[in-house]
């Protein structure tokens, strides 16, 4: 017997609440809704996004600062803040360098700035800001509740694990130095990290709401997150099943099929999730934007129908998926990367491109940089000819990097030297280097055939590219490394004939605005997106269920926004996801 | 006796360029010479020599406070780092010495 459902708001009553889950399950909507309703009851609530590609500003319908918490427009007890690693790192650099302007020569300041622009600084300064919010006693006194809307699971687990990783490193290291400086200079940070860890583990103060959808992949992801959280000592967990669908038109075969898919997924729900206090939110016709819509959601699951005279004709310039693959195939080799918001279908589309290229007789490697990707599920556990499958698993890469270093430069050291090196390799920030090196090695595979990369959700993919650029500059400053795959990484990514970025989105508000920003960020990094895919379109299907009709109509303007982005624009029907 | 003690160098201060960690394993590729030098420094301190190591990113104060270093930075630029000071004298500029050279400077057997 399943346990009775709670209301989503009563599930999230702890002083500190994290909303986490796979990309695209509706974390931001559910977190914002919970924060708004809690604040409506007169509580002072702070909502914080830890996603580098945060959407809380769009969903709350209010500007949100990345330096300090501000009141949300139209509310007098709800505050919001974005933790933006880039902004946090910039502030951190200024704290370090500022006092020495005019005292140290400019070239010395420049070299400090360069060193403090790496992935390591990005990660640690964002984590420090996160730990400060959690552990600052003033914050705790001022706010009745802090709600965290987090990045997709893989990266959130890393964020939460950093508290114990750094605390453990501080406790075990004998050299007294770390990438962030000497331990003496880090007294304050050490204190914050330890306090953050304590709060995270305190069941009376912290709860984690796992958000999932009635789909196998989202549930597998929630199950994995749940287990890893327990390993970190975070046991106060809850489950929100978002987007449960009960069609009203039994003659709509697509609606019936979607419901049947959901029922199967819910029947197969892992036991560890079934035993959690849980709640359900019905599927809505369009995603709520702004305070009023969040308050009404999910009592109005159908949403506001578009005017009925809007014909849902898709934009006319769409290419077929086959044409797109044909164009990719004609290059004979190279890197194809699918990018976009979590949950838009990057993995599914990357897999389809890889299999189609394989079918055209190419040598193909399918890889993922997403710690939470499920390539095996997409491939259905089958062997596909000579398809090579790779994944960058940070924990495996770190171990490989550590042993590689110990076996190369560490080989000639005496025992003391080896102990010292081992200790330094245990610093949590070696993960950045290890992942970067694995990524560079992967990209070099595009020289011999096709490498199709399914990337992590936007924010972290951009951070990976940022880190790559900064490692590249560092390598250039030293006159290059002796490793071709490292030195050629950035030139390869910037070569439009070699690297082809396929931006994937759903025809919905947040995925489209995130994709548009992503395209701008890529252009700033001298990478021109190659094609756009609007995935999961109801516009291509013949539906009659009222909710699906609402979806179909609300898609139109987003499809038009995508269609003007590129001459290579492809639409895929909703079915590609439910059949996969 | 006092005189002999005075003659033997006792303290070394290493002023590193801006870097993430002293072995370089956090950089784009591990730097063998940095790793070896980190081990040599640890050996030296095990021999009873007082060793202080400063990284420009982490301890800019130390660079400002030592007139010898400040002067090198102002006249020759940041490219002259690392600079290694033995007692009160600049001994190495823009290089990490071998263990044997360190041993020699401190009258030790490597």
């Amino acid at each position: 017997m399943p346990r009775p459902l709670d209301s989503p708001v009563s599930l999230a009553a702890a002083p500190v609440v994290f909303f986490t889950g796979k990309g695209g399950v509706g974390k931001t909507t559910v977190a914002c809704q919970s924060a708004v309703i809690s604040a409506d009851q007169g509580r002072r609530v702070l909502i914080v996004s830890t996603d580098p590609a945060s959407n809380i500003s769009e969903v709350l319908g209010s500007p949100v600062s990345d330096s300090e918490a501000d009141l949300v427009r139209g509310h007098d007890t709800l505050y919001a803040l974005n933790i933006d690693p880039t902004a946090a790192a910039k502030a951190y650099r200024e704290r370090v360098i500022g006092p020495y302007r005019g005292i140290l020569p400019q070239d010395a300041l420049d070299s400090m700035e360069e060193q403090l622009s790496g992935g390591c600084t990005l990660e640690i300064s964002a984590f420090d800001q996160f730990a400060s919010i959690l552990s600052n006693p003033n914050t705790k006194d001022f706010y009745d509740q802090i709600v965290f809307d987090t990045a997709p699971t893989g990266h959130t687990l890393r964020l939460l694990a950093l508290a114990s990783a750094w605390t453990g490193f501080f406790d075990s290291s004998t050299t007294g130095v770390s990438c962030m400086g000497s331990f003496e200079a880090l007294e304050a940070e050490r204190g914050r990290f330890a306090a953050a860890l304590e709060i995270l583990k305190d069941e009376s103060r912290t709860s984690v709401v796992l958000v999932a959808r009635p789909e196998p992949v989202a549930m597998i992801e929630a199950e994995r997150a749940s287990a890893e959280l327990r390993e970190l000592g975070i046991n106060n967990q809850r489950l929100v099943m978002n987007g449960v669908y009960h069609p009203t038109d039994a003659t709509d075969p697509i609606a019936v099929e979607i419901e049947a898919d959901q029922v199967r997924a819910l029947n197969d729900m892992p036991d560890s999730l079934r035993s959690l206090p849980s709640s359900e939110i019905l599927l809505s016709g369009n995603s709520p934007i702004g305070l009023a819509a969040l308050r009404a959601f999910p009592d109005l699951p159908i949403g506001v129908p578009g005017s009925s005279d809007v014909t849902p004709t898709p934009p006319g310039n769409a290419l077929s998926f086959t044409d797109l693959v044909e164009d990719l195939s004609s290059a004979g080799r190279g890197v194809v990367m699918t990018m976009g918001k979590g949950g838009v279908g990057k993995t599914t589309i990357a897999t389809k491109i890889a299999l189609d290229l394989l079918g055209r007789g190419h040598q193909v490697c399918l890889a993922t940089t997403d710690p939470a990707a499920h390539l095996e599920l997409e491939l259905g556990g089958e062997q596909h000819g000579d398809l090579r499958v790779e994944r960058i698993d940070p924990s495996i890469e770190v171990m490989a990097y550590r042993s590689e270093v110990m076996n190369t430069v560490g080989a000639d050291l005496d025992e003391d030297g080896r102990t010292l090196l081992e200790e330094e390799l245990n610093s949590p920030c070696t993960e950045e280097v290890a992942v970067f090196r694995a990524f560079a090695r992967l990209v070099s595979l595009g020289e011999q055939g096709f490498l199709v990369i399914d990337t992590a959700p936007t924010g972290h993919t951009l951070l990976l590219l940022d880190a790559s650029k900064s490692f590249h500059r560092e390598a250039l400053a030293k006159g290059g490394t002796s490793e071709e795959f490292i030195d050629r990484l950035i030139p390869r990514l910037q070569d439009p004939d070699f690297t082809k970025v396929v931006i994937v989105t759903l025809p919905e508000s947040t995925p489209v605005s995130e994709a548009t920003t992503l395209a701008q960020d890529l252009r700033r990094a001298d990478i021109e997106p190659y094609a756009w895919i609007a995935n999961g379109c109801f516009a291509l299907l013949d539906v009659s269920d009222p909710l699906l009709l609402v979806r179909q109509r609300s898609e139109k303007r987003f499809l038009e926004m995508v269609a003007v982005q590129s001459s290579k624009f492809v639409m895929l029907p909703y079915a590609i996801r439910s059949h996969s | 006796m006092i005189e002999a003690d005075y003659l033997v160098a006792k303290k070394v201060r290493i002023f590193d360029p801006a870097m993430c960690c002293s072995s370089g394993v956090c950089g784009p590729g591990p730097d063998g010479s940095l790793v070896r030098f980190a081990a040599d420094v640890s050996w030296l301190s095990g021999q009873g020599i007082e060793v202080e190591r400063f990284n420009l990113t982490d301890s800019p104060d130390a660079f400002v406070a030592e007139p010898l270093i400040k002067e090198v930075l102002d006249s020759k630029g940041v490219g002259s780092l690392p600079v290694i000071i033995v007692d009160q004298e600049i001994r190495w500029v823009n290089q990490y010495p071998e263990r044997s050279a360190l041993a020699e400077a401190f009258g030790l057997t490597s």
Side-chain angles (χ1 to χ4, degrees), chain A residues 409 412-413 417, chain B residues 23 31-42 96-100 102:
Chain A
V409 293
D412 304 329
L413 299 176
Chain B
S23 63
D31 181 332
S33 62
L34 272 176
V35 171
R36 177 190 51 76
F37 186 70
D40 291 346
V41 166
S42 153
Y96 290 110
E98 298 284 325
R99 184 178 293 200
S100 56
L102 284 172

Side-chain angles (χ1 to χ4, degrees), chain A residues 2 120 159 169 177 215 241 263 288 297 337 354 383 397 444 459 474 489 509 520 525 528 530 564 572:
Chain A
C120 208
L159 180 77
F169 182 66
V177 288
E215 295 163 3
M241 193 56 71
V263 169
F297 174 86
M337 294 169 92
Q383 287 292 319
E397 298 308 335
S444 72
E474 209 179 310
L489 172 64
S509 173
Q520 289 160 359
E528 180 61 36
Y530 158 80
V564 297
L572 292 175

Side-chain angles (χ1 to χ4, degrees), chain A residues 151-419:
Chain A
T153 330
H155 293 95
T156 297
L157 291 169
R158 164 80 176 158
L159 180 77
L160 298 179
L162 274 178
S164 59
W166 277 108
T167 304
F169 182 66
F170 284 140
D171 290 346
S172 68
S173 172
T174 53
T175 54
V177 288
S178 74
C179 298
M180 294 160 61
S182 70
F183 287 4
E184 275 163 47
L186 292 172
E187 253 339 291
E189 281 86 350
R190 279 183 84 162
R192 278 202 284 278
F193 294 1
L197 185 60
E198 200 176 303
I199 293 168
L200 288 174
K201 288 183 171 179
D202 182 346
E203 292 188 31
S204 68
R205 288 161 80 181
T206 303
S207 70
V208 174
V209 178
L210 302 160
V211 184
R213 284 196 182 263
E215 295 163 3
V217 178
M219 280 204 250
I220 289 171
E221 179 85 4
E223 181 190 25
R224 187 180 74 105
S226 170
E228 288 194 26
L229 288 166
R230 278 196 302 274
E231 240 167 74
L232 291 170
I234 302 171
N235 294 313
N236 190 354
Q237 304 177 7
R238 283 96 204 285
L239 176 71
V240 168
M241 193 56 71
N242 188 28
V244 176
Y245 178 45
H246 303 296
T248 45
D249 181 350
T251 64
D252 181 333
I254 290 161
V256 170
E257 193 183 329
I258 295 173
E259 187 186 31
D261 269 357
Q262 289 202 347
V263 169
R264 267 194 299 278
L266 288 169
N267 283 340
D268 294 344
M269 190 194 301
D271 287 340
S272 62
L273 295 182
R274 213 178 279 277
S275 62
L276 296 175
S278 70
S279 171
E280 238 179 55
I281 297 177
L282 295 179
L283 184 71
S284 65
N286 36 31
S287 35
I289 301 284
L291 296 181
L294 285 166
R295 286 182 182 119
F297 174 86
D299 299 333
L300 292 173
I302 300 285
V304 188
S307 104
S308 55
D309 58 347
V310 178
T311 20
T313 354
N317 66 334
L319 273 181
S320 74
F321 187 79
T322 315
D323 289 345
L324 187 79
V325 176
E326 194 52 53
D327 188 67
L328 287 169
S329 171
S330 66
R333 58 158 204 174
V335 172
V336 181
M337 294 169 92
T338 55
M339 290 193 192
K341 188 178 178 306
V344 296
K346 290 183 294 297
T347 310
T348 309
I349 289 174
T351 307
K352 196 164 158 49
I353 291 176
L355 292 178
D356 286 5
L357 287 170
L358 190 74
R360 283 171 165 75
H362 296 287
Q363 188 180 323
V364 181
C365 173
L366 171 64
T368 181
T369 63
D370 184 356
H374 300 276
L375 290 179
E376 320 73 42
L377 272 179
E378 288 297 337
L379 293 167
E382 293 167 38
Q383 287 292 319
H384 293 272
D386 296 328
L387 182 71
R388 175 171 167 191
V389 180
E390 295 279 343
R391 70 181 309 143
I392 296 184
D393 178 330
S395 55
I396 292 173
E397 298 308 335
V398 153
M399 283 193 294
Y401 178 64
R402 284 177 186 159
S403 64
E404 186 190 332
V405 172
M406 291 310 292
N407 292 331
T408 52
V409 293
D412 304 329
L413 299 176
D414 59 21
E415 199 169 323
D416 280 354
R418 286 177 66 84
T419 311

Side-chain angles (χ1 to χ4, degrees), chain B residues 10-88:
Chain B
K10 292 185 299 264
K11 179 173 178 178
V12 60
R13 283 175 297 157
I14 301 146
F15 294 84
D16 288 304
M19 51 193 204
C20 187
C21 49
S22 57
S23 63
V25 290
C26 305
D31 181 332
S33 62
L34 272 176
V35 171
R36 177 190 51 76
F37 186 70
D40 291 346
V41 166
S42 153
W43 167 80
L44 199 59
S45 117
Q47 302 293 311
I49 305 295
E50 189 183 343
V51 182
E52 284 187 308
R53 198 163 178 188
F54 308 102
N55 170 349
L56 180 58
T57 324
D58 300 331
S59 330
D61 264 340
F63 289 68
V64 175
E66 173 51 61
L68 289 172
I69 294 296
K70 186 75 171 61
E71 206 254 297
V72 174
L73 284 182
D74 286 336
S75 62
K76 293 186 190 154
V78 75
S80 49
L81 296 177
V83 172
I84 298 172
I85 297 181
V86 175
D87 288 339
Q88 274 312 310

